[in-house]
Amino acid sequence: MTRPIALVTNDDSIVSPLLTPLVEMASTICDVYVVVPASEQSWIGRAFSRHHGIEVKRIDKFNVPTWTISGTPSDCANIGIHNLLPQKPDIVLSGINIGYNATSTFIYSSGTVAGALEGAFHSIPSIAFSKLLPEASYHSITESHRIEDSDVIAGIEIDRGYIPRLIESAMEAGPCFGRVWNVNFPEFTHQDSPFRYTQPAAVKPFSFFKVDADGHASFHFSTRDKEDLPEDSDIACIRRGAISVSALDFSHLSPAHPTDSSDPLNLHLLS
């Protein structure tokens, strides 16, 4: 029986220690091809590299065909689908992201979600995987590219076991143009951690930057941990220790057939 083909990408680059469990577990049921950024591309959203050339480099890693791309996650998925894989993949997998991709604010900024979204725009079943981490572990992993917290390691081992089943479920659900399954694992996943369907939380707006007296702005990340959010939201779910699954629908930006009664801008007055 022919095995399905999976394209794996991410935004944390080839050095991410959370890329390995996704590749290894996807390989148990799929023929895997890895196409990932050569350097970290977090917070890049759905950017494409229009103004500079891109280096595509085949490397020896994971015992599966693997390439690094000097570009964005969207570059990786697009180049992989059209130029590197032997045929259109059966599923696109992005992650596992170092840190969560929950709430509408972070979903729209996420390179991980964007990598999966490129697959979804090709009508390929697509999953974005992310992992909520304790603050100390988050900084350790991003700086040293190693996971040292034994509790985090134990949780990731449990996360690994769910990956093949999630892949199979997404393929059984079938393609849907513009749909991304956004999976967020909690800090410390346990054998009895439940799955919950969730909605992306809408957080209150806040500044992403600090501006000093000299007029220099620097990026400043805030998790907004103290904010009260609906119980069925993605961030509330993972804070409770459950596994969040949100169906993100990017299939349309406005109603396909607006009616005369829907004229919020009073455009009829301008005609």
Side-chain angles (χ1 to χ4, degrees):
M1 182 176 178
T2 303
R3 287 172 21 123
I5 291 176
L7 168 61
V8 173
T9 191
N10 73 358
D11 72 357
D12 290 313
S13 85
I14 191 67
V15 301
S16 170
L18 292 186
L19 175 61
T20 302
L22 179 56
V23 173
E24 290 180 346
M25 298 313 294
S27 296
T28 63
I29 59 171
C30 298
D31 290 337
V32 172
Y33 294 79
V34 178
V35 187
V36 294
S39 60
E40 184 188 342
Q41 299 291 312
S42 299
W43 293 89
I44 202 71
R46 190 169 155 73
F48 287 91
S49 300
R50 176 173 179 246
H51 296 290
H52 60 81
I54 299 173
E55 181 181 13
V56 179
K57 185 178 180 180
R58 180 77 179 257
I59 67 170
D60 184 17
K61 196 174 177 71
F62 301 123
N63 294 317
V64 300
T66 301
W67 292 265
T68 59
I69 304 287
S70 62
T72 70
S74 295
D75 294 336
C76 291
N78 188 277
I79 291 172
I81 291 168
H82 290 285
N83 300 96
L84 301 178
L85 272 63
Q87 64 188 64
K88 183 178 179 179
D90 298 289
I91 192 161
V92 172
L93 309 171
S94 189
I96 301 171
N97 190 66
I98 300 171
Y100 67 71
N101 274 305
T103 79
S104 56
T105 299
F106 299 118
I107 285 169
Y108 281 114
S109 304
S110 168
T112 299
V113 173
L117 180 56
E118 181 63 16
F121 280 154
H122 285 76
S123 296
I124 301 168
S126 300
I127 311 176
F129 292 96
S130 302
K131 175 72 173 177
L132 176 63
L133 293 164
E135 186 173 357
S137 292
Y138 173 85
H139 291 297
S140 173
I141 293 171
T142 55
E143 292 168 7
S144 69
H145 312 301
R146 291 183 298 177
I147 307 171
E148 298 176 344
D149 186 318
S150 59
D151 290 331
V152 172
I153 292 172
I156 291 172
E157 282 300 307
I158 297 173
D159 298 335
R160 286 168 55 99
Y162 290 124
I163 289 172
R165 283 180 277 172
L166 286 163
I167 293 172
E168 290 173 337
S169 295
M171 288 192 294
E172 288 172 4
C176 179
F177 175 80
R179 181 179 65 192
V180 172
W181 297 105
N182 191 39
V183 177
N184 278 276
F185 293 112
E187 275 189 350
F188 304 110
T189 317
H190 302 287
Q191 293 290 355
D192 57 353
S193 294
F195 282 90
R196 295 288 183 264
Y197 287 109
T198 59
Q199 299 291 328
V203 299
K204 295 177 182 178
F206 56 93
S207 175
F208 283 113
F209 297 92
K210 286 185 175 180
V211 181
D212 63 24
D214 296 324
H216 298 118
S218 59
F219 186 80
H220 177 66
F221 173 75
S222 172
T223 60
R224 317 297 287 174
D225 285 336
K226 296 181 180 179
E227 189 167 343
D228 291 328
L229 296 167
E231 287 298 298
D232 66 348
S233 67
D234 46 13
I235 189 65
C237 173
I238 56 177
R239 285 176 182 170
R240 294 195 306 270
I243 301 166
S244 166
V245 179
S246 297
L248 308 180
D249 182 7
F250 296 92
S251 63
H252 58 272
L253 300 179
S254 64
H257 302 288
T259 63
D260 293 337
S261 61
S262 177
D263 187 9
L265 296 181
N266 291 318
L267 297 181
H268 69 282
L269 299 177
L270 305 179
S271 301

